Amino acid sequence: MTKTLFGTDGVRGLYKQHGVPGEICPPTFYGLAAACAEFSGADTVVLGRDTRVSGGDLADAAMRGAYDQGLKVYDLGIAPTPVIGASVERLSSEEGAFGISITASHNPEEYNGFKFLWPKGLKPSEAEARVIEDMFWGMAGSSRSKQNGKYFDVVSIPYLTETIDKLKSAFGERPLADKTIALDTANGAAANYTSLIFKALGARVIHIDKPGGKINDGCGANDLALATRFIEQYSEASDKDFLGVLANDGDGDRVMGVCKVDGKIVKITGNHIMYYLAQGQPGIVGTDYTNSGLVKKLREENIAFEYCENGDSNVTEALIIKQQEGRQWTRGGEFTGHLIDTDHLMSGDGVYMAAWFACKVASLDETFANVYKELPLWHEKMQNIKLVPGIEIANDPETISFINDTAKSVAGVVRIHTRGSGTEPVYRIWAESAVERKLNETVNKLSAFITSRVGVLSQK
């Protein structure tokens, strides 16, 4: 059993009802909650979960772990990750609080996971995650109780009213009046949040994912199939009062979109939303996957841009460093739809950002189609290669050499970024280019080589 639990965004994997510590199972979540309680020094935890069937058992285990450490446990029930992060500060007591989100984000129903959140949704640093892991393994198998805590079921939380008030203050009392928006909340935690906010802002809402459906199953920000089918069939998709489709992922920390442009169905990604977030700002932070078309346009408009490593926690860290230097950088994000404004929250909030983006577009009397046309992006392609357990392809010298040689051969034409996923057993190849043919050739070449190397190494 590997000692490393935390990946790019929390602890995540296949749910095993009768698993052992270190697997995604109740004993692990009991121990993680207890370790987080000891690590944080807080006396309060705010806990919520997404809509997965396994969420109830795992949430109960996490609550017991915190309770046995003497904490006050506030149970939000089904709630998006950003709502949990925003609520931590509101519900904290004398010694402070932290949050736990029981979710596997955009992964399928059979997965689940554990996210630790500081107040305002700030995620733990890598060093903090390693300390929590060490504490977990030191406590593994024990159920030692310091003292009994207290349970509280939270009936109402201020996130909805505060978010609505914030958007009304920025854009007016009914900024989405006479506008129609289609929402896909991935059959997930945001279903009863995103639509309520849009309706409160005056929008006519079409909810396209259906109650009772599996989380992220052919829907949501990570799989825009449902949104695409809706646009294909919606007779008013080109109407000037129809903004487009916005989609959250399973735990509501991401937002992506779909619209129709000149009869063609296209995606609205984090790149498009970041362009609007950057307006009026001195600069903005994006990850290595940020599209070069966005970076070029921002620099043409004298808006600075800074790259950071993948992960919305890395975006936040880069923004905090800027602020410590006295620079008023508060916004950034990922092309996948994790978007951050530290004045609002310290990690991705797909619920708030969906509404903010729609209000911004409506205030300019535009639709998502206008947004797409205004930002000429480079062509992108992502290829996921399944890994065999135990194969460390990212450290394979022949693979590293081939990737470096390929990158040099297409420098200035194709930009390449490769890495192992922090949430799934896959190796990701991502590339972008203004020349689509060259992009496809390069990705196919890399994919064929790396797939063959995985095969070779698995035979050794």
Side-chain angles (χ1 to χ4, degrees), residues 47-211:
L47 187 143
R49 59 187 174 88
D50 65 25
T51 56
R52 293 165 212 273
V53 174
S54 60
D57 284 345
L58 295 174
D60 286 346
M63 284 191 283
R64 288 197 307 273
Y67 179 90
D68 283 352
Q69 295 298 308
L71 270 65
K72 300 171 186 174
V73 181
Y74 286 90
D75 181 14
L76 302 187
I78 293 174
T81 295
V83 173
I84 299 164
S87 300
V88 170
E89 203 166 18
R90 304 292 186 274
L91 296 173
S92 65
S93 51
E94 291 183 4
E95 295 180 35
F98 66 96
I100 295 173
S101 180
I102 307 298
T103 180
S105 191
H106 64 272
N107 291 108
E109 166 79 23
E110 59 267 26
Y111 284 73
N112 217 321
F114 181 106
K115 293 184 181 181
F116 173 96
L117 303 166
W118 289 115
K120 283 195 73 177
L122 183 66
K123 295 178 180 177
S125 67
E126 185 172 346
E128 288 175 327
R130 300 290 87 83
V131 173
I132 294 171
E133 288 170 351
D134 289 343
M135 287 183 169
F136 167 82
W137 289 112
M139 301 166 72
S142 70
S143 58
R144 54 197 179 114
S145 175
K146 289 184 176 179
Q147 58 181 329
N148 290 338
K150 294 181 180 180
Y151 289 120
F152 300 90
D153 289 324
V154 181
V155 177
S156 63
I157 52 177
Y159 176 89
L160 281 171
T161 55
E162 288 182 357
T163 297
I164 291 166
D165 289 345
K166 185 182 298 184
L167 291 166
K168 286 183 175 181
S169 177
F171 296 104
E173 187 64 22
R174 286 173 57 81
L176 297 178
D178 302 321
K179 300 297 182 182
T180 299
I181 186 79
L183 297 178
D184 170 8
T185 53
N187 299 318
N192 292 326
Y193 287 83
T194 308
S195 60
L196 285 174
I197 291 172
F198 272 87
K199 289 175 182 177
L201 298 173
R204 174 176 174 258
V205 174
I206 305 172
H207 215 331
I208 66 174
D209 53 327
K210 305 302 180 186

Side-chain angles (χ1 to χ4, degrees), residues 199-430:
K199 289 175 182 177
L201 298 173
R204 174 176 174 258
V205 174
I206 305 172
H207 215 331
I208 66 174
D209 53 327
K210 305 302 180 186
K214 285 186 178 181
I215 190 169
N216 300 319
D217 186 13
C219 58
N222 196 55
D223 185 346
L224 294 168
L226 179 64
T228 299
R229 288 198 305 273
F230 173 82
I231 288 286
E232 287 173 342
Q233 300 166 6
Y234 187 55
S235 61
E236 299 174 40
S238 299
D239 189 277
K240 65 181 180 64
D241 292 327
F242 177 68
L243 295 178
V245 183
L246 288 175
N248 293 132
D249 63 343
D251 72 328
D253 65 354
R254 291 169 54 186
V255 59
M256 298 276 274
V258 173
C259 65
K260 185 177 284 188
V261 176
D262 300 328
K264 179 183 177 183
I265 297 171
V266 298
K267 294 180 182 179
I268 298 296
T269 71
N271 289 300
H272 297 96
I273 303 174
M274 284 171 66
Y275 175 64
Y276 279 70
L277 283 170
Q279 300 307 305
Q281 304 294 306
I284 193 166
V285 172
T287 69
D288 292 326
Y289 294 100
T290 303
N291 193 281
S292 292
L294 169 62
V295 177
K296 179 176 181 290
K297 190 167 179 64
L298 290 177
R299 288 174 175 165
E300 288 173 351
E301 297 178 7
N302 295 315
I303 300 172
F305 179 86
E306 182 170 297
Y307 288 101
C308 70
E309 291 185 14
N310 184 64
D312 66 336
S313 58
N314 291 319
V315 174
T316 300
E317 183 179 355
L319 289 170
I320 291 172
I321 290 172
K322 294 290 185 186
Q323 292 162 18
Q324 290 171 342
E325 295 171 350
R327 302 165 74 179
Q328 300 304 307
W329 288 44
T330 63
R331 295 175 177 177
E334 299 183 288
F335 83 102
T336 54
H338 287 115
L339 301 159
I340 296 165
D341 183 342
T342 59
D343 286 342
H344 168 70
L345 207 62
M346 304 298 280
S347 53
D349 185 348
V351 177
Y352 169 79
M353 283 297 177
W356 181 92
F357 178 60
C359 288
K360 182 67 174 179
V361 172
S363 73
L364 299 171
D365 197 28
E366 296 181 345
T367 67
F368 298 167
N370 301 119
V371 172
Y372 184 86
K373 290 177 181 178
E374 287 174 9
L375 183 61
L377 296 177
W378 283 23
H379 303 287
E380 295 181 16
K381 189 168 184 178
M382 174 82 83
Q383 189 81 34
N384 291 329
I385 299 172
K386 289 187 178 181
L387 296 179
V388 176
I391 300 300
E392 296 290 340
I393 195 70
N395 299 322
D396 174 47
E398 289 194 36
T399 299
I400 294 170
S401 177
F402 188 85
I403 291 171
N404 289 340
D405 289 345
T406 301
K408 289 177 183 177
S409 71
V410 295
V413 180
V414 182
R415 188 165 72 93
I416 299 167
H417 191 71
T418 62
R419 68 178 179 90
S421 170
T423 60
E424 300 172 77
V426 298
Y427 190 75
R428 303 195 194 282
I429 301 170
W430 175 89

